[in-house]
Amino acid sequence: MRVALVHDWLNQMGGAEAVLEALVEAFPGAPIYTSIYARDRMPSHYRSWEIHTTWLDAMPFIHRRHPLYLPFYPLAFDGLNLSGYDVVISNKSGFCHGVVTGASTVHLCYCLTPTRYVWAYEEYIAREGLPGPMRRLLRPLIALLRLWDRMAADRVDAFIAISREVARRIRKFYRRPSILLHPPVEVQRFHLSSRAEEYFLIVSRLIPYKRIDLAIEAFNRLRRPLVIVGDGRDRRRLERLAGPTITFLGRVPTEQLADLYARCRAFIFPGVEDFGIAPVEAMAAGRPVIAFAGGGALDTVVEGLTGVFFDAPTPESLAEAVRRFEDMRFDPRAIRCHAEQFDKRVFQEKIKKIAELAWEAARQGRDVEQVLLAEWGASLP
């Protein structure tokens, strides 16, 4: 089974790259096709991979300013013909599902989300603070990208959603069913601690849609200690909002992060995410999660067993959930056991089975999507 992997861009580390690393381990030797590759900004072990880029990789400043080339990514992926492979797996949050494949090639799209700034443009741009005139100028371009994105989805034989929230978006925007496979989490990196301290914890990139500001306002009112790990362009604004009980640590080493997870009183997850790996990492350390009741958290947090939800995206609702949490008791070992279903090894075993099943179905002339839905079940009724 000749497998190729497709990724949107390789110029920064994030959740998509964690998925790619797990895919590379699951399919050793599979080449990777991507729009751009900034070797100096990516881990050194990537240099041992077979990575192919598009003509976009030669464009000025693209490795550090890749959003400036937004209109050109569809053209770049349109130019990638991967018909020589049996199975193509696109790891998509942007436009990489638009690669061309032949009639005998199975294209599986592991969909992190339908392209966010195309399908949720107004919401996305409002949080980014783009001026009104620029928003209006971009709307015709976004309309064209939306049309291309919808048509490119028809090139995919079967969609795999990372959460029920993403499955709903696939159904709404692409009019396609999907099967569900949660993304990989390095559960074995985290450990239980015999003691928990009084601080609550956030681990996140500090950008507007993560809603760290909501948590800061809640903890300013609660006067409880909150530790925030991570960095981003919103950090300065958030630091101005923060009261004396809130501490910013920036980025921390892996070992220190594992210890912070293990000793926190609870993990705070205030935004709406496509999945949300950090809450699962906290649960791998046996710590409960206080999460907004939306997005991927609904797939990972179990009310009363591994955490509690708050229902409104307001400081008042989060503060009330924290107070309710303080009157509850949680079993760290039960929380850890729940997290193990999201372990990277589970993901790798399942994605290999999905690829083999899809390839065999195609060789038998059967409908790949229908076979996978019958075997795995649709991610939504």
Side-chain angles (χ1 to χ4, degrees):
M1 187 171 68
R2 295 165 299 170
V3 177
L5 306 175
V6 190
H7 193 75
D8 283 300
W9 37 69
L10 287 173
N11 66 334
Q12 59 189 356
M13 291 300 294
E17 287 65 45
V19 172
L20 179 64
E21 292 192 2
L23 288 170
V24 169
E25 289 180 16
F27 301 99
I32 298 146
Y33 291 84
T34 187
S35 59
I36 62 172
Y37 172 37
R39 291 167 58 94
D40 59 325
R41 306 188 74 189
M42 303 305 291
S44 58
H45 65 269
Y46 280 38
R47 296 171 192 174
S48 66
W49 298 351
E50 181 185 339
I51 298 176
H52 303 268
T53 60
T54 69
W55 52 268
L56 268 177
D57 195 50
M59 295 295 102
F61 312 113
I62 194 167
H63 288 174
R64 294 186 180 275
R65 297 287 184 268
H66 76 273
L68 296 177
Y69 289 87
L70 179 67
F72 301 102
Y73 289 100
L75 293 174
F77 285 111
D78 260 328
L80 282 179
N81 190 320
L82 305 183
S83 299
Y85 296 96
D86 298 313
V87 177
V88 169
I89 303 174
S90 55
N91 183 36
K92 170 255 186 332
S93 65
F95 304 102
C96 70
H97 64 306
V99 295
V100 175
T101 57
S104 61
T105 302
V106 175
H107 181 176
L108 302 174
C109 178
Y110 190 64
C111 187
L112 308 177
T113 182
T115 314
R116 187 186 303 276
Y117 37 84
V118 169
W119 295 102
Y121 172 71
E122 296 297 338
E123 176 185 348
Y124 185 87
I125 292 301
R127 287 181 177 167
E128 294 297 315
L130 202 66
M134 182 64 72
R135 294 187 206 181
R136 290 189 288 274
L137 285 172
L138 284 174
R139 280 189 187 119
L141 170 62
I142 295 299
L144 289 174
L145 290 176
R146 192 175 294 136
L147 178 63
W148 180 91
D149 193 57
R150 172 63 187 84
M151 294 175 65
D154 290 339
R155 303 177 187 178
V156 174
D157 289 290
F159 278 94
I160 308 167
I162 68 169
S163 67
R164 287 176 293 168
E165 171 65 25
V166 168
R168 277 189 285 271
R169 296 177 203 165
I170 293 169
R171 175 81 73 176
K172 180 176 177 64
F173 301 136
Y174 297 154
R175 299 289 189 254
R176 296 284 296 278
S178 58
I179 62 173
L180 180 63
L181 176 59
H182 295 121
V185 180
E186 296 270 9
V187 170
Q188 305 309 317
R189 281 174 40 201
F190 303 96
H191 59 271
L192 303 182
S193 175
S194 59
R195 63 186 178 91
E197 298 186 13
E198 288 301 307
Y199 67 88
F200 294 79
L201 181 66
I202 286 176
V203 178
S204 176
R205 285 181 294 149
L206 305 185
I207 53 179
Y209 88 88
K210 300 286 187 178
R211 297 311 314 271
I212 310 302
D213 55 336
L214 187 153
I216 289 173
E217 290 183 40
F219 277 81
N220 282 343
R221 300 178 188 186
L222 290 165
R223 298 187 181 277
R224 308 285 200 281
L226 175 65
V227 173
I228 299 175
V229 173
D231 210 344
R233 63 181 183 276
D234 210 24
R235 180 170 177 173
R236 188 171 299 177
R237 180 181 74 90
L238 295 172
E239 287 178 330
R240 289 196 297 266
L241 292 175
T245 66
I246 297 172
T247 304
F248 289 80
L249 295 184
R251 296 186 178 96
V252 302
T254 301
E255 297 77 13
Q256 183 183 353
L257 179 60
D259 192 52
L260 285 166
Y261 274 128
R263 292 186 296 107
C264 74
R265 191 169 183 185
F267 186 83
I268 306 299
F269 194 56
V272 176
E273 291 280 2
D274 307 323
F275 176 71
I277 287 176
V280 181
E281 291 178 340
M283 288 186 278
R287 306 316 305 155
V289 176
I290 302 173
F292 177 66
L298 295 174
D299 285 30
T300 60
V301 179
V302 180
E303 178 83 32
L305 176 66
T306 69
V308 298
F309 288 114
F310 62 99
D311 296 324
T314 64
E316 295 80 7
S317 183
L318 173 52
E320 189 278 329
V322 172
R323 295 189 191 99
R324 181 158 41 92
F325 160 82
E326 291 175 330
D327 292 329
M328 302 171 69
R329 295 293 178 267
F330 293 88
D331 180 354
R333 295 188 182 280
I335 296 174
R336 165 76 181 201
C337 183
H338 174 76
E340 287 175 349
Q341 66 181 293
F342 303 102
D343 188 64
K344 180 176 73 171
R345 288 175 295 184
V346 175
F347 168 85
Q348 290 172 326
E349 289 171 5
K350 288 184 176 180
I351 193 67
K352 286 190 287 187
K353 288 180 181 177
I354 290 169
E356 290 164 1
L357 182 62
W359 182 43
E360 188 61 32
R363 292 170 69 189
Q364 296 173 1
R366 301 165 68 195
D367 185 284
V368 169
E369 184 175 78
Q370 292 304 314
V371 168
L372 291 180
L373 289 172
E375 181 74 18
W376 290 80
S379 53
L380 289 173

